[in-house]
Amino acid sequence: MRLDKYLKVSRLIKRRTLAKEVADQGRITINGAVAKASSNVKTGDELVIRLGQRITTLRVEQLQESTRKEDATQMFTILKEEKIS
């Protein structure tokens, strides 16, 4: 699944266009490598997302084409969250 679509479906980022912009700015890594919006995401991958004043590290648990709001949090596990000062 494309990175930008995964971020939107999992509701980590609200809009796919915003997810694409964030990825193209180099603020997302997959398993330590800088990712583009078209990068493939697989179950078990570790994502690091720098968004605003936060760095969030998470592990991909599920890939789904669409999901309900209540089920979106089951798609990932947050490993670490830190604020940038």
Side-chain angles (χ1 to χ4, degrees):
M1 176 181 281
R2 286 176 54 108
L3 175 62
D4 55 350
K5 182 170 182 176
Y6 176 79
L7 294 171
K8 184 212 178 285
V9 171
S10 65
R11 289 178 166 77
L12 287 164
I13 297 180
K14 283 190 177 197
R15 289 181 306 281
R16 190 166 175 177
T17 53
L18 181 59
K20 181 183 181 321
E21 288 174 16
V22 171
D24 290 344
Q25 292 172 358
R27 300 193 302 182
I28 300 175
T29 61
I30 299 176
N31 298 324
V34 176
K36 294 184 178 179
S38 61
S39 299
N40 279 330
V41 178
K42 300 180 295 295
T43 304
D45 282 350
E46 189 171 295
L47 303 179
V48 178
I49 304 169
R50 186 168 48 88
L51 193 60
Q53 296 297 314
R54 267 187 309 157
I55 297 177
T56 306
T57 305
L58 57 98
R59 183 176 51 244
V60 177
E61 299 294 341
Q62 296 177 11
L63 297 177
Q64 298 177 8
E65 291 298 315
S66 63
T67 184
R68 294 182 15 227
K69 185 177 182 178
E70 299 82 29
D71 300 333
T73 56
Q74 295 174 1
M75 293 181 68
F76 59 89
T77 301
I78 294 180
L79 303 174
K80 183 171 63 170
E81 262 191 312
E82 53 188 283
K83 282 194 166 195
I84 304 171
S85 53

